[in-house]
Amino acid sequence: MGDVKLLGLWYSPFSKRVEWALKTKGMEYEYIEEDLQNKSSLLLQSNPIHKTVPVLIHNGKPICESIVILEYIDETFEGPSILPKNPYDRALARFWVKFFDDKVPAMRKSIFLKGEEQEKAKEEVCEMLKILENELKDRKFFVGDKFGFVDIAANATALWFGVLEEVSGIVLVTRKKFPNLCAWRDEYYLQNREYLPPREKLLAHYQVYIQRTAAASK
């Protein structure tokens, strides 16, 4: 299927979405780790608008934005389907993916901000968690009977948010409040460990990040 390159970051949930999809399809690809403090000319040429990762380059043509890339991979390469085959389920999956991506800013703010803005973000995140808890009632996955498009897109909720909770000491997800969501998160990590960065490495990375952020704000 031609030459495939992925420009990414090891700690980015958006990059990991794309890696998950490529590995699911059994694709061979060249992974190029980027430094957002010193962006490569290839990244700047490939994504001149946002200048960030991930970027998939297939036969010299760049595709940007993780969800767009996932759909491109599913449509272009042979292998197990990522999106559901049924049109209604596909529409439903796209709805939930947008829901997750719309909530990413609030998840970040609930951890990294302070004061009134942080409290508002926490409220928004808690409402999101209640919705997800209800959606996972009596089911293991968000859409369909196996891990797929929505679950891939929800990887930040599956791993990254828990890491940030541990590093910051701000805990919003508990097994008592959200047993269904926690069961989904456990299953996600168990089945997809090979597609995720090591948790301890993520913890160390964000501990340094939060320390630097705190020092810069003084």
Side-chain angles (χ1 to χ4, degrees), residues 57-75:
I57 303 175
H58 182 210
N59 290 333
K61 297 179 180 179
I63 304 99
C64 306
E65 298 298 316
S66 63
I67 297 304
V68 175
I69 297 171
L70 289 185
E71 295 213 34
Y72 178 85
I73 289 171
D74 201 30
E75 293 171 358

Side-chain angles (χ1 to χ4, degrees), residues 29-76:
Y29 63 97
E30 178 186 355
Y31 176 78
I32 301 172
E33 179 75 10
E34 284 288 339
D35 178 359
L36 296 187
Q37 304 305 313
N38 184 26
K39 297 176 182 179
S40 71
S41 58
L42 180 59
L43 174 59
L44 297 175
Q45 292 167 7
S46 301
N47 191 359
I49 296 176
H50 296 302
K51 303 178 178 64
T52 190
V53 296
V55 178
L56 184 77
I57 303 175
H58 182 210
N59 290 333
K61 297 179 180 179
I63 304 99
C64 306
E65 298 298 316
S66 63
I67 297 304
V68 175
I69 297 171
L70 289 185
E71 295 213 34
Y72 178 85
I73 289 171
D74 201 30
E75 293 171 358
T76 304

